[in-house]
Amino acid sequence: TLKRALDEISVETVETVLDLIRQNSLYRGKEHEDVLATFLETKLQYATVPVELRDNYCWVASMTHRHITSIRNSVIGTLLVDLEETSDLDGAVTRYERKVAPANYKRPTALATPRMIEEAKKKLEELDLMDSLERRLATERDLNVEDILFTDKSSSVTDVFKEMSKGTLVNPKSFSKVEEVGIEDFIAKILPTAKVVELLVENPHLANLVSLVTSKEKDAKGLFKWGNNFSWSYTGGITDSIKERVKAAGGDVSGVLRFSIQWNEDGSSIVDLDAHAMEPGKSGEHIYFADYKGKKTPSSGMLDVDMIRPSSVGVENITWSDKSKMKEGVYKFWINNYDGRRHNGVKAQIEADGVVYDFAYNKHFTGDVAIATVEYSKAKGFVVKSELEVNSSISSKEKWNIKTC
C-alpha cells in the first residue's frame, strides 16, 4: 500500500495540498499536515533509491513511519489520488469537503497558493502575456468600424443613457403587439433597416449589465481565442450569481430541472428562508429540508443545499438529475419564511433543460410566497409559468443612469 502511494502520488500533488493546508484553504487540513510532511520526506528519499532496492526501502519505511503506511486509503489520501488523476484542484477539493465538511461550511480562502501564483506568472512571462494582463475600461476610440454591428446616427453616443433615464417607464406587456425574435434574426433582419432602437430594461437584466474592457497597452498580445483584446466585466462580478453561489455551496446545477433561491445579499437580515417543491399528483413528494435534504425522491429530486439564517448571502437548491425518472405533470415551487423575521425580499431561479428563468420578490413576506409552476410532459418538455405577477410588487431600479421598467 505504501509503495503504491509512493509510485502514484507525485511530489507536486503533495506540495500543493500542503500549501492549501498552510494557508488555511482546506477544511480540517491541519489534522493531516504532519502525515503529509512525513510522506513528502519519504517520497523524496524514495526517489533516490535504486529501483531494485525500493521494495526493501518500503518495508523499512512502513515500520519506521507506520502513520503514513495507509495514507492512500485515508480521507486526505482520497484527495491526493483525486487530484493526481484529474488535475482539477477546485473539483478535487470540493469533493473532499463534501466528505468531511458540514453542509454550511464555506472555504475561508481561495484555492490559489503562492507557489501556484508564481508558476502562473512564470508561464505568462514565457508566453509574453504580462502586458496583456493590464486592463482598463474601453472607450469608443478603441473600437474599429468593423467591430460595430449597429449605430444610431440620430443621437449622440454620449447622451444615450441620459436620454433613457429621462423617459417615462413603459411596461412592455402593455404593447398591443409584441413579437419575440431570436438574436440572429434581430441582427440580420431588423437592425439593418432600423432608424432608432429603444431599449427597455427590466429588473432581472441589471445583473447582466457589462463593462467593455481592453488591454492597457493598445498593441499588447491577445489573451483570448477571438481576434481582439476586448473582454467584459459583469456589474455583479459574475453573470449568474445564484448559480455560481449554489455551485460554491456544493449544489448540483447540472440537473435537468433546478430551483434555486438567494437572499440576504446586503447581509442586513439574518433570516431563515426555505425552498419548497411539490412533485405532481396527489401522492407527489414534498421536497424541503425535513424530508428530502440529501435524499432523492423516486423521481430523482432532492434538496442538496440548505442554509439556516446565514450571516452573508444565503442560497438553497432543489434539483432533479434524471428526466427518465421524472413524473409528468405540474411541479410547484414556493418559498417559506421559516421563522417570520424581517428581510428585504428574495430572488429565485428555475432552470429547465438549460433554459434559465429568474424571479424576484422585492419585499418582506411571512409564511409562503408562490414562485412558479413547471408543467412537464415527455411530448412538450418543460413549460414554466410564473406565480409572481399577482403576488409581487416590482419597483423600478436605476443603475448607470439606466432605469428599469
Side-chain angles (χ1 to χ4, degrees):
T1 304
L2 176 60
K3 187 173 188 299
R4 185 179 179 187
L6 291 171
D7 284 336
E8 296 181 358
I9 300 172
S10 66
V11 169
E12 182 183 6
T13 294
V14 182
E15 288 179 338
T16 296
V17 175
L18 278 170
D19 285 343
L20 295 176
I21 291 171
R22 287 163 183 161
Q23 70 176 36
N24 195 30
S25 292
L26 197 66
Y27 180 75
R28 294 177 64 176
K30 289 292 182 183
E31 298 176 11
H32 309 289
E33 186 173 6
D34 290 342
V35 173
L36 286 174
T38 304
F39 179 76
L40 178 60
E41 181 182 351
T42 306
K43 170 76 177 174
L44 293 171
Q45 291 176 354
Y46 178 74
T48 67
V49 176
V51 174
E52 65 272 15
L53 298 178
R54 286 184 176 179
D55 281 357
N56 288 348
Y57 174 84
C58 289
W59 282 114
V60 174
S62 66
M63 297 299 293
T64 309
H65 306 298
R66 290 180 181 272
H67 59 305
I68 70 166
T69 303
S70 300
I71 187 172
R72 194 179 184 283
N73 299 329
S74 66
V75 66
I76 198 67
T78 62
L79 172 59
L80 293 171
V81 173
D82 192 356
L83 186 56
E84 192 70 42
E85 292 177 349
T86 66
S87 300
D88 174 13
L89 180 61
D90 190 67
V93 172
T94 298
R95 289 186 286 273
Y96 162 84
E97 288 170 348
R98 285 177 183 167
K99 295 185 183 81
V100 300
N104 289 342
Y105 168 71
K106 289 186 177 180
R107 195 181 303 127
T109 54
L111 291 177
T113 67
R115 182 169 59 87
M116 292 163 63
I117 294 171
E118 189 60 32
E119 289 176 356
K121 182 179 178 182
K122 287 180 181 177
K123 187 66 176 178
L124 287 167
E125 288 173 343
E126 181 183 314
L127 296 172
D128 192 27
L129 289 173
M130 289 299 291
D131 287 343
S132 305
L133 294 182
E134 295 282 338
R135 312 294 287 171
R136 61 174 173 81
L137 293 176
T139 69
E140 60 268 26
R141 292 188 298 275
D142 295 307
L143 298 174
N144 296 319
V145 67
E146 294 86 2
D147 298 322
I148 300 172
L149 299 177
F150 175 80
T151 180
D152 181 358
K153 297 182 175 62
S154 66
S155 62
S156 169
V157 172
T158 57
D159 291 337
V160 171
F161 295 136
K162 188 180 292 184
E163 291 302 314
M164 287 174 60
S165 67
K166 293 177 182 178
T168 303
L169 293 180
V170 178
N171 182 355
K173 296 182 177 62
S174 66
F175 295 155
S176 59
K177 182 180 179 182
V178 176
E179 180 183 353
E180 292 190 4
V181 297
I183 187 64
E184 294 84 1
D185 284 345
F186 180 73
I187 292 174
K189 299 175 182 178
I190 297 175
L191 280 181
T193 58
K195 294 182 178 179
V196 175
V197 174
E198 185 176 1
L199 181 67
L200 300 177
V201 182
E202 297 184 65
N203 285 342
H205 298 152
L206 290 181
N208 289 351
L209 293 179
V210 299
S211 298
L212 190 64
V213 181
T214 189
S215 56
K216 191 172 182 180
E217 299 295 332
K218 190 172 182 63
D219 298 325
K221 192 175 179 180
L223 277 172
F224 314 111
K225 61 183 179 181
W226 49 88
N228 58 54
N229 233 331
F230 292 113
S231 59
W232 50 93
S233 173
Y234 284 88
T235 177
I238 49 180
T239 175
D240 189 345
S241 62
I242 296 180
K243 194 170 184 176
E244 292 299 323
R245 286 190 171 113
V246 167
K247 283 174 62 178
D252 179 14
V253 296
S254 63
V256 292
L257 178 62
R258 173 177 61 86
F259 175 54
S260 307
I261 68 172
Q262 174 178 296
W263 73 99
N264 198 27
E265 292 183 52
D266 59 3
S268 64
S269 50
I270 311 302
V271 60
D272 185 10
L273 300 184
D274 291 314
H276 288 252
M278 182 68 75
E279 293 186 344
K282 292 182 179 179
S283 60
E285 304 290 349
H286 181 188
I287 303 175
Y288 71 120
F289 64 86
D291 291 340
Y292 286 102
K293 179 181 175 182
K295 182 179 72 172
K296 288 189 177 182
T297 71
S299 294
S300 78
M302 68 180 293
L303 173 79
D304 61 4
V305 177
D306 175 51
M307 293 189 179
I308 301 172
R309 301 188 191 96
S311 56
S312 57
V313 181
V315 290
E316 293 201 358
N317 189 60
I318 296 175
T319 183
W320 285 260
S321 58
D322 191 342
K323 189 188 293 185
S324 67
K325 295 180 179 179
M326 293 182 66
K327 298 178 183 178
E328 293 187 290
V330 176
Y331 291 73
K332 298 178 181 179
F333 299 96
W334 70 95
I335 302 170
N336 174 259
N337 184 344
Y338 182 77
D339 52 17
R341 295 187 182 189
R342 295 290 306 177
H343 60 88
N344 297 324
V346 63
K347 291 180 180 178
Q349 188 173 82
I350 290 175
E351 183 172 4
D353 256 351
V355 180
V356 177
Y357 303 82
D358 288 297
F359 307 86
Y361 193 88
N362 300 316
K363 61 180 180 179
H364 168 75
F365 64 89
T366 57
D368 297 337
V369 60
I371 301 299
T373 61
V374 176
E375 185 173 358
Y376 170 64
S377 67
K378 293 177 181 178
K380 296 182 179 179
F382 297 101
V383 178
V384 179
K385 295 181 180 179
S386 174
E387 297 282 353
L388 281 179
E389 292 179 359
V390 296
N391 293 332
S392 65
S393 173
I394 300 177
S395 57
S396 175
K397 296 182 179 181
E398 183 173 341
K399 180 173 285 188
W400 297 350
N401 291 328
I402 300 174
K403 285 187 178 180
T404 60
C405 60

